Amino acid sequence: QLLGGSIAGRLIMAQLRGSGVLPCARTTQRALAVPGVSPSLALVTRPHMANRVQLGAGSSILRADNLWRTAGLSSTPSRAQSLRCYAALATAVKPTAAAVKEAHGFTLQREQFIKEYDSHVLIYKHNKTGAEVISMVNSDENKTFGVVFRTPVDNSFGIPHILEHSVLCGSRKYPIKEPFVELMKGSLNTFLNAFTYPDRTCYPVASCNSQDFYNLVDVYMDAVFHPRCITDPKVFEQEGWHFEMDTPEDDLSFKGVVFNEMKGVYSSPDSVYYRAVQQSLFPDNTYRHDSGGDPTVIPHLTFDQFQDFHSKYYHPSNARFWFHGDDEPVERLRILDSYLNEFEFKKVTSQVETQKLIHTPRKVVEYYAAGDSKDGEQKAFVGLNWVLTEKPLDVETELALGFLDYLMLGTNASPLRKALNDSGLGAAVLGGGMDDELKQPIFSVGLKGVDLANQEKVETLVMDKLAELEKSGFSATAIEAAINSIEFSLRENNTGSFPRGLSLMLRSMGAWIYDRDPITPLQWEEPLASFKTKLALGKDVFGPLIRQYLLDNKHRVSVSLLPDTTLGAKIEATEAATLAAKRQSMDAAQVAAMVESTHDLKARQEAADSPEALASVPILKLSDIPKTITKVPTAITTSNGATILTHDLFTNDVLYLEAALDMRGVPAHLLSLVPLFCRSLTNMATQKESFIELTERIGCKTGGLSVYPFTSAVRGKPDSPVAYVMVRAKAMAGKTADMLELVQDVLLTSKLDDRARFKQMVDEVKSGMESGFQSRGHSYASTRLAAQRGRAGWMSEQMGGYTYLEFIRKLSKRVDGEWDAVKADLEAIRSALLARSGALVNLTGDTRTLDHAHPAVEQFLASLPQVAGAHAVWDAPLLPRKNEALTVPTQVSYVAKGANLYQDTDYKLSGSSYVVEKYLGNTWLWDKVRVVGGAYGGFCSFDPHSGDFKYLSYRDPNLLDTLDAYDGSPAFLKNLQLTPDELTKAIIGTIGDVDSYQLPDSKGYSALSRHLLGVTDEERQIRRDEILATSPQDFKAFGEVLESVASKGVVVAVTSADKAAAALVARPGFFEVIPVL
């Protein structure tokens, strides 16, 4: 799900997309969906995977709620700011002395030193059960553990997905409702979640604190092997599905967290398309089913089937365990054996059957629920898809296919991607090329936004271009750029805030669960050297691959996903008929039993765990928490009106650069054009080279270069936001001058005159935003609310919200009829931005690297005009404060309500608010919106810079009931009776967010963000002191403050037209309805 798959080629692509080098086909709809604060923190993933892999229990959504605060980000979304998802290099560690051969019931099977990650790998086997464990020993302080079970399915009931949620709802040793939530409240974890793949289920945790790490491991081990859910059907009902009826007069309804989550998934046309691709490519094995669950058949699942699945697959003999980091290797074995020694060996049949290749191309047509289009005819999704092989590929072939994938699709200048974009047949490229998340690798590519009459033209274009590339090959500069980009990513090995050990675990598991060597996917040095040698000798590496795996491969499926404006109503009608038939068949006694069951479940969901039970969950002590902040070394100098920040940190000879240009000179009417201006800088020709040549030079000279707008409110200055255009790049120290010359060229000499390319980008943005409203509706609702209260929020709405979508729709037509005027606007933005005065350069590297960069930085700054023009007047009216329902075709809702605590109350910022906000999200909102309400996520967000406080829900079956839950928050806080342990957990969990793990480049970027926002280390220490001193009275006081949100708050919901209409019947005049799709 998160990191690409098991082979080196897939690692390459995940690395490059995550690092901002490659365009992402799409971001995951379910991982780290930040609640309206900064969608730029959404975790980048591979295509197909968001549909295939389900993230568990909603933890990432909640945890990410506070990540922005650490980094100080509140910016317009950008790929460059995304958390980067690729394997990372552990700090250098020499091979350990001879490993322990036998300990705690385990026998060493193999030991090996992996130079790529400076790690000593020990593979043990448990004597009693046959369970295998990989124990990676290195000096990475961010320790990682995971347990993975093979869990193939023979139906789409969603059993592994529901089970993945349910096992974390109490266990033998931890007999509380949700130990998982208790860990979220009071752990220093750097990762806490679970994933459901089509054929396996993963339970990973990570922490830098050793005691906290072992606490997490113990809770997860007890959860998977001794969960409460297999004896308590109420857990199954809560997380999976159940009938609900509050009174005998009520209609019957379906509820359940996974049930509603998957309704949200199936509301996204992109997800529907990728599901169709997977099922059509694998008609004969487990992949033809949806392990996440099809909401039309999830209610067929019985509790007995649920129990049997756990009994069959959740056994040590079917498990693979993983450890990574600097903790004691023998202690790892002791912890595992304390659980495994209760079991005996069991033969588990869980192997994934190989899909036999079919030697006849096929065509599949499916449909998605479409609304009444606002801009003409509905469009299709069209793609060609292959299963590449029945047998495992050797490592060098895998690597070669990864390079081929990059060369064909890796950048917007890559020939296959460019041909699709230039064709005019669709709005955006569909599919991500190579994908090896499953047992057999696949290749998928096409277009979305295709006119129905052009479906066959897309297929013809793909096949013709592949045939052309087989013969013509790729230019030497394209290959050089690919080699540099890929090798840079492999050697940089930067995972952002994603645990490095988890990155390696997921990659290794991609081979291990198929009974292949788990170490081979981690070793890329020799295959890469061999591959480079072949290229240097002039061998035709890529043509034969195109011929064998694509052109001559008849296991090819053309998938067309067509719009159906009646499908949504049909789905709703079918569900309603099913429920009506069930209700009709019930006699009075059965109705009474159903009502009693509903009340019993809700009572149990709302009941508090006993203090004795809560005490079973291990917690740290406040004395374990550092009292002082961690500072980033920062030196500030000036150069001819520009500011230079440098951060002396070890970066392994990589220089990380941010060049910030003040946006305040851009006229208000041009702000909506800024994001596309940023994209244009690296997607059009310069005065001395073509777009293709520029792209290849970026690949040859850097590890990536991107441009994006950065905006944020500044506390105390609601009408004076921070606003910059940010150029972000990285390169090896020896190529610093090349990198800065590139930055200079794209800023000063980009021609901005390629009408066709600009129109492609407009169409891509439009397509992406329209799909985003169905999958990330909460972020758009949140942005809409912010635009009512402050200038920074208004700017974000202009550059990334519904207002921006409306601008893009109009711009698409304007490009056709008024291109000269559009081009003049782009040049006006450039003129307003380019000035040395007010510019800022941020550099992260070690002393030698920084010193080496200094002359090139000075030369870059000297190339900019000295003085900027006058600041523009940004005084357009904010959005009016009114309740809105933004309607799209969807089976779920995203419900937001917010107010501004600085403007609506006399609240003064205190670090205690961070503690209360996190606690509220993990208790009242979790219980009311998610557990009882059935939404996939319910959370709150407080922006200390703007003062905006928002409640948000994600994939929510409710609308008005959710608002009632929000409005109950103040009373909950004011009446709260916190025990000392609960308060301690709340404080520690907040510190865990504030001290989130960062690699050097992230530290440098966070320091930049704090500098721009005026957040000093002294203020950070004050906030930390306030967090650590939080008292029960602070919860009650914040509850009083939140009364303003209940009484003065405004509501924005992304929902369906039918749900909005029903809400207006219940509360006439409550919403203004705005059709979006």
Side-chain angles (χ1 to χ4, degrees), residues 202-455:
C202 307
Y203 295 90
V205 297
S207 178
C208 294
N209 181 285
S210 295
Q211 186 56 56
D212 187 54
F213 177 64
Y214 290 135
N215 291 346
L216 296 171
V217 173
D218 195 61
V219 170
Y220 264 47
M221 287 291 288
D222 203 59
V224 296
F225 290 119
H226 305 293
R228 177 170 64 104
C229 65
I230 60 172
T231 59
D232 185 354
K234 291 300 181 183
V235 176
F236 165 73
E237 293 174 10
Q238 170 184 296
E239 297 298 321
W241 78 277
H242 64 276
F243 289 113
E244 184 164 291
M245 180 185 287
D246 281 310
T247 72
E249 294 74 35
D250 284 350
D251 291 332
L252 204 59
S253 63
F254 289 125
K255 282 290 180 70
V257 173
V258 169
F259 176 78
N260 288 309
E261 177 189 344
M262 296 311 296
K263 273 194 165 185
V265 171
Y266 277 55
S267 295
S268 164
D270 292 79
S271 294
V272 174
Y273 172 81
Y274 289 118
R275 178 194 62 175
V277 168
Q278 179 179 306
Q279 293 178 342
S280 62
L281 284 175
F282 298 96
D284 303 318
N285 69 1
T286 186
Y287 303 143
R288 70 183 182 274
H289 306 293
D290 189 342
S291 64
D294 181 338
T296 64
V297 299
I298 286 175
H300 296 171
L301 177 61
T302 68
F303 184 59
D304 286 344
Q305 291 170 315
F306 178 76
Q307 289 176 305
D308 291 343
F309 195 90
H310 181 274
S311 175
K312 181 176 182 180
Y313 294 122
Y314 278 59
H315 188 280
S317 301
N318 189 46
R320 288 157 176 81
F321 298 94
W322 173 275
F323 280 95
H324 174 281
D326 64 0
D327 57 311
E328 172 54 49
V330 175
E331 177 64 8
R332 300 169 175 178
L333 303 180
R334 186 197 65 77
I335 293 172
L336 292 182
D337 185 60
S338 69
Y339 282 94
L340 303 189
N341 65 15
E342 299 180 43
F343 297 86
E344 301 293 336
F345 176 78
K346 174 182 176 181
K347 183 173 177 57
V348 180
T349 303
S350 60
Q351 293 80 5
V352 176
E353 296 297 323
T354 299
Q355 171 66 53
K356 297 295 183 183
L357 296 189
I358 300 170
H359 300 295
T360 303
R362 290 167 292 137
K363 183 175 180 63
V364 171
V365 178
E366 296 283 351
Y367 296 88
Y368 69 92
D372 294 323
S373 175
K374 297 187 67 174
D375 56 355
E377 184 183 2
Q378 294 285 358
K379 306 291 187 176
F381 293 60
V382 182
L384 285 180
N385 311 274
W386 289 261
V387 173
L388 301 187
T389 180
E390 291 180 10
K391 297 179 180 180
L393 299 168
D394 62 81
V395 176
E396 197 165 319
T397 300
E398 294 169 346
L399 191 66
L401 284 168
F403 271 92
L404 175 62
D405 189 18
Y406 179 83
L407 285 164
M408 291 196 300
L409 291 167
T411 72
N412 284 321
S414 298
L416 181 54
R417 178 178 292 274
K418 188 173 186 299
L420 287 164
N421 282 329
D422 291 349
S423 69
L425 295 174
V429 174
L430 183 67
M434 278 279 296
D435 188 329
D436 70 345
E437 281 298 294
L438 306 180
K439 185 178 182 181
Q440 296 161 261
I442 70 172
F443 185 88
S444 177
V445 69
L447 285 168
K448 61 180 177 178
V450 177
D451 287 339
L452 301 186
N454 289 334
Q455 295 177 65

Side-chain angles (χ1 to χ4, degrees), residues 234 243-250 252 582-583 585-601:
K234 291 300 181 183
F243 289 113
E244 184 164 291
M245 180 185 287
D246 281 310
T247 72
E249 294 74 35
D250 284 350
L252 204 59
K582 174 66 177 177
R583 178 67 177 83
S585 70
M586 297 167 63
D587 58 28
Q590 290 171 319
V591 169
M594 185 71 71
V595 171
E596 182 180 359
S597 177
T598 298
H599 291 169
D600 180 50
L601 177 58

